[in-house]
Amino acid sequence: MTEEQLSSNHPPLPPTTEEDRFSWLRLLRSRKVGPATFRRLLREHGSAQNALAALPEMARAAGITGYETCPPGVIEAELRAAKAAKARLLCLGSAEFPATLAELNEAPPLLWAIGDLSLLQKPAIAMVGARNCSSLGARMARGLATELGSKGHVIVSGLARGIDTAAHMAALETGTVAVMAGGVDVIYPAENTELAHDIASSGLRISEQPMGVTPQARHFPRRNRIISGLAQAVVVVEAAAKSGSLITARDALDQGREVLAVPGHPFDARAAGCNLLIRDGATLVRSAEDVIEALPQQDDLFSRPTEPPSEPIARPARNLHEQIIARLGPSPIAEDQLLRDIAASAGELGPALIDLELDGRIQRQPGGLLSLAS
């Protein structure tokens, strides 16, 4: 069985003692242990303590010399920092862990949280967009967040400048969750320090990173999967053609979430990503009603946190990506011709084209034509 198959099974049983939680932290903070490997090790060895004992030998067998697990002193320091920040540890599989996030293959085994944990049990909508947003974009974000919040939806975003800030501020009274790229106790950007404190008081801040970690560029894409994973839908308000917001949109597609976008003027680079998403099938957003109408009609996920989806959500198969690459060349062809050539549905082709375009493997030409990236 592959690691991906192992990680897609039910979450491991959560730790029940302080010693168990300590061992979970040590295992996850050990070198070369990510979310999928963490799950695999727990399933293979039965407990985090057993996995920690086995790791050095496993590393030697893999040709890694001098491997050491995370020292206990590092975890002790992290726990002290968490206590000082009044942060709580949420463990995958526990009742407090967000149900929508727990169902994902790449769900973080542990989250640090500061604020109102009850927000994780309510329906949520993510809002993301440009850091250098326009005044109209910020106004749209505030309006959407205010109205969606008044209808019972928690607003999830990333505490960044621009659209994130506007959405969080508008949803402070109704409920907002800030997913942080660094430690939950490290405010970035510094200009949002007051907002972050307000969110801790009336909303919630969460992070999978260790306490005290300053965010690095590599942390943001991983943060984005949590933003989309917490929500039923992701609304992109303004985004450039190549931006972190489109990474969040791609994560949302992979996770089976609805993707929606606010259109913008073709001459505005900040709207290029949104217009791209709409062209490729994202729901066009003019108001909060458009968002609510697009939400999936399904049983409330939050009332049954441990029940898996009745049917897996269809995602484009990887061989579809390869079929597209094999069919395209330097000479552009029309998208409808590609659709006929590979016998795929429009619903399958659209997300696959977004993936390949964001990966830089294909490019669009004038007139809606497609070719391999030069």
Side-chain angles (χ1 to χ4, degrees):
M1 183 177 289
T2 67
E3 181 176 43
E4 181 178 359
Q5 289 171 320
L6 283 163
S7 66
S8 64
N9 293 332
H10 290 296
L13 293 176
T16 56
T17 67
E18 289 300 320
E19 182 182 0
D20 289 339
R21 281 185 280 273
F22 191 95
S23 296
W24 269 45
L25 272 170
R26 272 194 72 197
L27 181 59
L28 188 61
R29 303 301 187 230
S30 293
R31 189 160 55 99
K32 296 187 178 296
V33 177
T37 301
F38 180 94
R39 287 194 183 198
R40 176 172 62 82
L41 290 171
L42 284 191
R43 284 184 168 83
E44 289 180 353
H45 299 281
S47 71
Q49 292 93 328
N50 291 342
L52 284 164
L55 263 179
E57 180 56 38
M58 294 171 63
R60 281 193 293 272
I64 302 172
T65 59
Y67 182 90
E68 294 182 358
T69 57
C70 179
V74 171
I75 304 305
E76 291 167 358
E78 183 171 355
L79 291 172
R80 287 194 298 269
K83 184 177 181 179
K86 298 182 180 179
R88 296 184 60 180
L89 186 64
L90 309 183
C91 301
L92 181 64
S94 68
E96 293 178 326
F97 198 91
T100 51
L101 195 58
E103 70 187 23
L104 304 181
N105 289 346
E106 282 293 310
L110 298 167
L111 290 170
W112 283 114
I114 300 175
D116 183 2
L117 295 181
S118 70
L119 295 178
L120 295 176
Q121 308 306 322
K122 297 179 180 180
I125 293 172
M127 290 183 60
V128 296
R131 288 173 169 81
N132 63 331
C133 66
S134 67
S135 58
L136 283 176
R139 178 180 172 185
M140 186 68 174
R142 287 193 297 269
L144 289 173
T146 298
E147 190 168 354
L148 291 169
S150 71
K151 295 181 182 297
H153 296 279
V154 172
I155 301 301
V156 180
S157 199
L159 199 63
R161 299 181 181 92
I163 296 301
D164 290 21
T165 295
H168 283 309
M169 292 182 69
L172 278 173
E173 293 186 4
T174 54
T176 188
V177 176
V179 185
M180 304 175 71
V184 75
D185 56 336
V186 178
I187 310 304
Y188 179 85
E191 66 201 56
N192 275 348
T193 297
E194 183 177 353
L195 174 59
H197 290 160
D198 290 341
I199 293 174
S201 297
S202 62
L204 183 68
R205 300 195 329 240
I206 64 171
S207 175
E208 68 175 329
Q209 296 297 330
M211 302 294 295
V213 167
T214 300
Q216 305 293 321
R218 67 180 185 277
H219 296 149
F220 289 91
R222 295 197 57 77
R223 183 275 309 269
N224 292 346
R225 87 191 193 285
I226 299 178
I227 292 176
S228 56
L230 288 171
Q232 294 174 289
V234 173
V235 181
V236 185
V237 179
E238 280 186 340
K242 293 183 179 180
S243 67
S245 297
L246 294 197
I247 295 176
T248 309
R250 182 168 59 178
D251 287 339
L253 286 172
D254 290 340
Q255 295 164 353
R257 309 308 194 234
E258 296 294 323
V259 175
L260 308 93
V262 176
H265 196 284
F267 289 167
D268 187 348
R270 291 170 295 197
C274 291
N275 293 340
L276 170 68
L277 290 171
I278 293 168
R279 182 201 63 196
D280 291 333
T283 300
L284 186 149
V285 174
R286 300 161 298 175
S287 67
E289 287 303 321
D290 291 331
V291 179
I292 292 171
E293 289 176 6
L295 294 179
Q297 300 298 312
Q298 58 186 15
D299 292 338
D300 183 10
L301 294 173
F302 304 91
S303 62
R304 296 175 294 148
T306 60
E307 185 175 335
S310 57
E311 295 182 6
I313 300 171
R315 295 287 102 205
R318 179 54 53 183
N319 64 0
L320 177 57
H321 295 66
E322 301 309 323
Q323 290 179 49
I324 294 170
I325 293 297
R327 178 62 187 85
L328 293 179
S331 300
I333 66 171
E335 186 172 330
D336 58 351
Q337 181 63 51
L338 176 65
L339 196 67
R340 290 191 294 270
D341 289 347
I342 64 177
S345 69
E348 294 172 328
L349 187 66
L353 290 177
I354 292 175
D355 283 350
L356 292 171
E357 195 168 2
L358 290 175
D359 287 341
R361 301 180 68 187
I362 68 172
Q363 61 186 16
R364 293 187 180 269
Q365 307 287 352
L369 301 179
L370 299 165
S371 68
L372 290 178
S374 56

